[in-house]
Amino acid sequence: MRPHRSLLPFAFWVVLSGAAIAHPHVFIDTDFDLVIEDGRLTAVRIDWSYDEFYSMLMIEESGLDADGDGVPEQARLDAFAGQDVDWAAGFPGDFSVTRDGAEVALARPVDHRARFEADRIITSHVRPLETPVSITDATIVARSYDPTYFVAYDVPGTPGVIGRDACRLVRDKADTEAAQEEYGDALAAVDMGGDPFEEVDLPDIGILFADSFTLRCDASS
């Protein structure tokens, strides 16, 4: 199950005249930490804070508020934890780590938690690396994004690094104006002469809107 993609098909993103703008339907604030052990990147700890509207849908659809007071019970949240990342086999998840430009394989999520704060569902999970990678003399880049841009991930804070005090993550902000233009060009190139409700496939378009976070460590570290 991936509930935040089940609301609307991609076809509804497209203005039927052929003109279009990027239009995500779910908004998630992300916080994350890279975990380093013995000079190797071993895992990523991730928090997702769902927007208030989608949080309400999650509460209703998953029956998280038994007494109807608008606040989900923690016991039900504990039982729900992990269901938002119960992805189909082969789906890599909405997070990317590269080493020297090559994608690093992340394992399935573990250590699931959920809580409710300020009218938002916040879920947490850990993505271990399938094989830990050395950070020495390497460029490590992390991104939080949905390839299809159905979900808009924002990283409002500063992600952290666990296990290496002399390391930090440096943000390279996405050029959203250029991304929007490229997205529009890609949609314009799609043949809209057929079924207007046919699903449109624009692979990895979401990366255009994603900030990049590069791992920087002091030379002495």
Side-chain angles (χ1 to χ4, degrees), residues 15 74 94 96 118 147 188 192 210:
V15 178
Q74 187 58 50
D94 289 349
S96 167
M192 299 299 293

Side-chain angles (χ1 to χ4, degrees):
M1 183 182 75
R2 191 153 186 256
H4 54 264
R5 189 158 293 159
S6 66
L7 294 178
L8 292 170
F10 184 82
F12 285 97
W13 300 12
V14 181
V15 178
L16 299 185
S17 65
I21 59 172
H23 185 190
H25 291 281
V26 183
F27 299 86
I28 297 177
D29 287 341
T30 303
D31 190 18
F32 67 88
D33 298 296
L34 299 188
V35 181
I36 297 175
E37 301 176 52
D38 299 323
R40 298 185 302 167
L41 178 63
T42 61
V44 186
R45 297 182 179 273
I46 301 171
D47 288 350
W48 285 345
S49 180
Y50 289 86
D51 67 80
E52 293 182 15
F53 176 72
Y54 197 76
S55 293
M56 180 183 67
L57 293 181
M58 294 169 75
I59 292 169
E60 292 179 354
E61 292 180 359
S62 299
L64 303 179
D65 180 15
D67 59 13
D69 66 353
V71 178
E73 289 77 26
Q74 187 58 50
R76 296 204 170 202
L77 286 170
D78 292 341
F80 171 79
Q83 293 186 36
D84 63 328
V85 291
D86 186 15
W87 299 315
F91 180 73
D94 289 349
F95 200 91
S96 167
V97 176
T98 60
R99 183 180 188 274
D100 294 334
E103 198 73 26
V104 174
L106 303 178
R108 303 279 299 177
V110 297
D111 193 17
H112 304 288
R113 301 181 185 183
R115 64 187 191 274
F116 185 68
E117 293 180 4
D119 297 325
R120 303 177 78 172
I121 296 286
I122 302 173
T123 65
S124 304
H125 60 274
V126 175
R127 300 290 306 276
L129 271 64
E130 289 191 356
T131 303
V133 297
S134 172
I135 65 171
T136 303
D137 298 325
T139 300
I140 305 292
V141 178
R143 298 180 180 89
S144 178
Y145 73 99
D146 171 11
T148 68
Y149 204 50
F150 186 96
V151 182
Y153 289 92
D154 188 24
V155 185
T158 302
V161 177
I162 298 173
R164 186 66 73 88
D165 292 340
C167 294
R168 64 195 186 282
L169 287 164
V170 178
R171 185 191 303 258
D172 181 14
K173 288 190 67 64
D175 186 339
T176 54
E177 184 175 340
Q180 195 75 62
E181 182 177 353
E182 184 168 344
Y183 180 86
D185 290 345
L187 281 177
V190 174
D191 180 10
M192 299 299 293
D195 183 356
F197 293 102
E198 182 179 357
E199 189 167 311
V200 178
D201 184 20
L202 295 177
D204 213 26
I205 199 73
I207 195 172
L208 301 175
F209 297 88
D211 291 352
S212 301
F213 297 87
T214 303
L215 182 66
R216 304 290 188 197
C217 300
D218 293 345
S220 59
S221 65

